[in-house]
């Protein structure tokens, strides 16, 4: 079946430009996560949605980063006034909510590689 | 979440068993051990998880020591496609799918032909 998809796969932005990164989670998955992965490092948590509610945005590095999921499915991560340090791979993951369960895997998309020049 | 320690890199001959260690000496009683891997240019992929019993699935086996302070991921017959970065993650069980994953730097496993 269809997995998590992200677009674009690659994005080059000039410093100061705004960018928008899209994530299409697996249909029916309630939870959606965004992670940032710098070169040579493991992914780092940015923000989490349960349906349309953003329940945790503690990992967003600055107020230039904004995420939304207005209808509880597709999510967009927006970065305003991009800086060189924003260059990274941005990963989206979704997860189902299973009543009565106590462990869940997250399904990751392929990521969007952002390069800020 | 408990901190984990993994060797930065390992090699394994194709067809042999790959044994990837992970130390998590500060793990709490309600924390699970998860393993994910990330093949080049792809997102991380779930492999297996466990609490205290050994676990096996179609991809791998997970051996957790009795004191739960360390574990080993075993890929029984490694293939070239198993070349990836392997992450050991310890976290509280997620009852509602809302638990973020805290990745370290993982172990870069290279399968040698």
């Amino acid at each position: 079946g269809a997995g998590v998809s992200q677009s674009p796969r690659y994005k080059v932005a000039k410093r100061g430009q705004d960018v928008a990164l899209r994530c299409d989670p697996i249909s029916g998955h309630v939870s959606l996560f965004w992670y940032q992965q710098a070169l040579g490092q493991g992914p780092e948590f940015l923000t989490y949605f349960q349906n349309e509610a953003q329940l945790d945005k503690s990992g967003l590095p600055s107020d230039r980063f904004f995420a939304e999921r207005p209808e509880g499915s597709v999510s967009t991560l927006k970065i305003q006034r991009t800086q060189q340090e924003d260059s990274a791979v941005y990963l989206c993951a979704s997860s189902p909510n299973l009543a009565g369960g106590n462990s869940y895997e997250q399904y990751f998309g392929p990521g969007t590689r952002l390069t800020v020049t | 979440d408990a901190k984990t320690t993994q060797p930065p890199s390992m090699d394994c001959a194709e067809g042999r068993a790959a044994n990837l260690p992970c130390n998590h000496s500060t793990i709490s009683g309600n924390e699970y051990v998860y393993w994910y891997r990330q093949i080049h240019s792809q997102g991380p992929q779930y492999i297996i998880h466990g609490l205290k019993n050994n676990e096996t699935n179609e991809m791998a086996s997970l051996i957790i020591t009795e004191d739960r302070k360390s574990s080993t991921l075993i890929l029984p017959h490694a293939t070239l496609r198993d070349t990836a970065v392997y992450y050991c993650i310890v976290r509280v069980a997620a009852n509602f799918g809302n638990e973020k994953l805290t990745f370290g730097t993982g172990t870069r496993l290279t399968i040698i032909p």
Side-chain angles (χ1 to χ4, degrees):
Chain A
V4 177
S5 62
Q6 294 187 244
S7 60
R9 289 294 313 277
Y10 303 91
K11 177 69 179 177
V12 178
K14 292 187 177 180
R15 190 175 61 176
Q17 283 185 330
D18 297 348
V19 298
L21 312 180
R22 177 187 170 107
C23 172
D24 286 79
I26 293 173
S27 178
H29 278 193
V30 172
S31 298
L32 186 144
F33 302 79
W34 284 97
Y35 294 84
Q36 179 190 57
Q37 186 171 23
L39 190 63
Q41 302 297 313
E44 292 192 358
F45 170 78
L46 292 177
T47 186
Y48 159 69
F49 290 84
Q50 185 170 320
N51 295 307
E52 68 279 4
Q54 189 176 20
L55 298 185
D56 187 350
K57 51 182 180 180
S58 62
L60 295 177
S62 77
D63 59 7
R64 296 186 295 103
F65 287 70
F66 172 77
E68 60 183 3
R69 194 186 184 197
E71 297 178 358
S73 55
V74 172
S75 178
T76 303
L77 177 67
K78 298 179 179 179
I79 308 173
Q80 297 176 323
R81 303 180 304 280
T82 53
Q83 304 294 316
Q84 283 190 320
E85 61 263 28
D86 300 334
S87 295
V89 174
Y90 290 85
L91 294 161
C92 175
S94 69
S95 180
N97 280 21
L98 301 174
N102 60 9
S103 59
Y104 296 90
E105 56 180 289
Q106 292 183 17
Y107 298 82
F108 282 81
T112 294
R113 181 177 296 278
L114 173 65
T115 303
V116 181
T117 61
Chain B
D1 291 342
K3 181 178 174 61
T4 61
T5 304
Q6 300 177 251
S9 64
M10 292 180 62
D11 293 340
C12 179
E14 187 179 17
R16 304 296 296 270
N19 295 273
L20 292 90
C22 179
N23 286 322
H24 32 78
S25 58
T26 60
I27 192 170
S28 300
N30 62 345
E31 289 180 316
Y32 284 69
V33 180
Y34 285 76
W35 284 83
Y36 279 73
R37 74 178 182 183
Q38 188 172 23
I39 295 170
H40 184 62
S41 295
Q42 296 183 21
Q45 175 192 24
Y46 166 83
I47 301 173
I48 199 168
H49 73 275
L51 181 62
K52 54 183 178 181
N53 297 321
N54 297 338
E55 303 288 344
T56 295
N57 64 19
E58 65 278 5
M59 290 183 67
S61 295
L62 174 60
I63 308 298
I64 302 174
T65 57
E66 192 168 344
D67 64 6
R68 304 209 322 121
K69 293 185 177 182
S70 65
S71 61
T72 301
L73 178 74
I74 301 172
L75 308 178
H77 304 287
T79 71
L80 297 178
R81 290 176 295 180
D82 292 322
T83 292
V85 177
Y86 287 76
Y87 295 99
C88 170
I89 299 166
V90 171
R91 68 173 171 94
V92 175
N95 286 324
F96 298 100
N98 60 351
E99 288 292 329
K100 63 189 178 187
L101 296 170
T102 301
F103 293 83
T105 51
T107 296
R108 181 173 299 277
L109 175 67
T110 302
I111 305 302
I112 309 298

